[in-house]
Amino acid sequence: MAAIPDPVHQTVAAIFKSYEDRSEDGNRPHLGASLIGHSCARYLWLTFRWAGAEQFAGRLLRLFDTGQREEARLIEDLRRIGVQVFDRQPDGRQFKVEACGGHFGGSMDAAGQGFPEAPHAWHVIEFKTSNTKAFKDLQKNGVQSAKPMHFAQMQIYMHLTGMERAAYLCVSKETDDIHFERIEHDEAEADRLIARAERIIFAAEPPVKLSEDPAWYECKFCHFHAHCHGTAAPAATCRSCAHVTPERAGNGRWSCAHHDRDLSIDEQRAGCDQHRVIPILLANWAEQTDVVDGAVLYRNKITGNKFLNGPRPEGYSSDEIHACADKGALGEPELKAFRDEFDGEVVA
């Protein structure tokens, strides 16, 4: 007798799918202060250049939402004990900070005054939630050691607001215990982090890999593992295009040399048919050999065949290069003939 399959609970599946349906692509217009403490500069560059948005399952998206909902409760807790907490500007917007021509910054959870430990000092306030293992590490070693990205985030907020202290509150998801820690502004560290952000933002090509070993633990589970150690090609947004540059002057301004104008965020997300992949982003498996009438000629390292990143009928669009699962197929005469005969395109 065949085994009876486990029941599929449609209600739960529908709830999780609703989170997926309303989630954004995760590509922020700016490089976030919440990320600048990440160990890998290449990860930050690929994130800023929208090389490939990370997709999360509905259950995880709901878990993230649970963490965000904890903020309101912590604000209520603080106000109840007499701390003045300001989580919004008078017009309802969050408190934001920025640097590097508007390409770097973030939104503070809140600012406050009246903490029992230092009643007169203004504090940047940062709220987090944690699993049990990470919470114990946090209690034992403190935020700078246990959560260096959170520490870096608060240093940036203090530096760009002029506040000299930060209050860090992290809730254990299992026990509801609260870790509280006051952080002192470190000007030298904040300057170092902003200089790091500037180098990453205005670099025309990605920084070196954190490790050349694809099995290195920090690389192995990274969202961009296939970009650094495999054959993934970037998504064809304007930010992965050789024509486009982040400008130092202006509020997060990007310009396109091909169209000779600035680009809106929506235009950057959409890209255009003149997109040409920044060649080094294909270097794991393709070598640039020439530029022909605005198209980029590559030698496919997997097969030795030549292919163009450019307009049809001779070339492949950047969308097709991104979508092609077997990069060895690019440049194969059979694939091109089949595509041309049926006026098709390579899709994921």
Side-chain angles (χ1 to χ4, degrees):
M1 179 181 293
I4 299 175
D6 292 334
V8 177
H9 297 291
Q10 296 182 8
T11 297
V12 174
I15 289 172
F16 289 157
K17 187 176 184 302
S18 73
Y19 280 86
E20 295 170 5
D21 290 343
R22 64 179 180 173
S23 68
E24 298 178 353
D25 62 14
N27 289 330
R28 295 182 181 180
H30 61 276
L31 178 61
S34 62
L35 294 179
I36 195 58
H38 194 283
S39 59
C40 181
R42 189 182 182 94
Y43 169 90
L44 294 173
W45 192 93
L46 291 170
T47 298
F48 181 62
R49 291 292 186 134
W50 299 348
E54 190 166 6
Q55 303 295 319
F56 294 101
R59 183 189 66 80
L60 276 176
L61 291 169
R62 189 175 187 279
L63 184 63
F64 299 155
D65 184 64
T66 299
Q68 292 172 351
R69 289 169 184 260
E70 186 66 43
E71 292 182 14
R73 187 181 180 195
L74 284 168
I75 290 172
E76 183 182 343
D77 291 339
L78 289 174
R79 286 174 176 164
R80 190 183 303 116
I81 65 169
V83 180
Q84 279 189 295
V85 181
F86 298 90
D87 62 323
R88 290 289 188 274
Q89 299 182 59
D91 61 3
R93 292 178 299 141
Q94 284 185 288
F95 294 103
K96 293 187 176 182
V97 297
E98 63 178 41
C100 305
H103 293 291
F104 175 61
S107 300
M108 288 170 34
D109 288 341
Q113 183 188 43
F115 289 92
E117 293 82 357
H120 301 295
W122 279 95
H123 292 68
V124 167
I125 304 177
E126 188 64 30
F127 301 122
K128 301 292 185 185
T129 59
S130 175
N131 63 33
T132 301
K133 181 179 178 181
F135 189 81
K136 289 179 178 178
D137 184 27
L138 183 61
Q139 288 186 308
K140 179 180 178 181
N141 298 304
V143 64
Q144 184 172 5
S145 174
K147 295 290 184 182
M149 290 176 64
H150 298 173
F151 181 81
Q153 181 181 10
M154 289 184 286
Q155 289 296 339
I156 293 298
Y157 291 163
M158 284 187 281
H159 194 71
L160 295 179
T161 61
M163 284 182 267
E164 292 294 324
R165 297 290 185 272
Y168 181 78
L169 292 93
C170 182
V171 177
S172 167
K173 297 175 184 178
E174 181 176 340
T175 67
D176 225 29
D177 195 4
I178 302 172
H179 175 81
F180 175 77
E181 192 172 340
R182 293 179 66 234
I183 310 301
E184 184 176 356
H185 175 224
D186 184 336
E187 185 172 2
E189 176 64 6
D191 285 338
R192 184 191 70 81
L193 290 167
I194 290 176
R196 186 186 197 219
E198 185 167 4
R199 288 194 303 273
I200 290 166
I201 287 164
F202 298 113
E205 296 183 347
V208 297
K209 301 171 189 175
L210 189 64
S211 174
E212 291 294 333
D213 181 1
W216 178 248
Y217 78 101
E218 289 178 279
C219 297
K220 189 174 182 179
F221 300 104
C222 177
H223 170 61
F224 293 116
H225 184 276
H227 292 262
C228 295
H229 300 285
T231 60
T237 70
C238 287
R239 295 200 180 185
S240 63
C241 177
H243 297 309
V244 177
T245 304
E247 300 292 347
R248 293 179 181 272
N251 185 22
R253 186 166 65 92
W254 289 74
S255 66
C256 174
H258 180 84
H259 294 294
D260 193 25
R261 63 180 177 84
D262 292 348
L263 300 168
S264 70
I265 294 298
D266 287 342
E267 287 173 323
Q268 291 171 42
R269 295 187 191 282
C272 77
D273 59 4
Q274 297 302 311
H275 187 286
R276 300 293 178 263
V277 180
I278 297 171
I280 198 171
L281 298 181
L282 307 182
N284 282 355
W285 56 276
E287 176 188 11
Q288 180 186 357
T289 61
D290 203 354
V291 176
V292 183
D293 296 329
V296 184
L297 181 65
Y298 289 93
R299 180 184 70 84
N300 192 319
K301 295 180 182 180
I302 301 170
T303 62
N305 291 321
K306 300 288 185 69
F307 70 93
L308 280 170
N309 177 201
R312 295 176 68 110
E314 296 302 320
Y316 290 93
S317 71
S318 297
D319 280 319
E320 289 182 293
I321 293 172
H322 170 69
C324 186
D326 178 5
K327 295 299 191 286
L330 294 170
E332 287 287 350
E334 293 82 358
L335 172 64
K336 185 177 180 305
F338 185 80
R339 186 190 68 152
D340 292 348
E341 180 179 356
F342 293 97
D343 192 26
E345 64 178 326
V346 180
V347 297

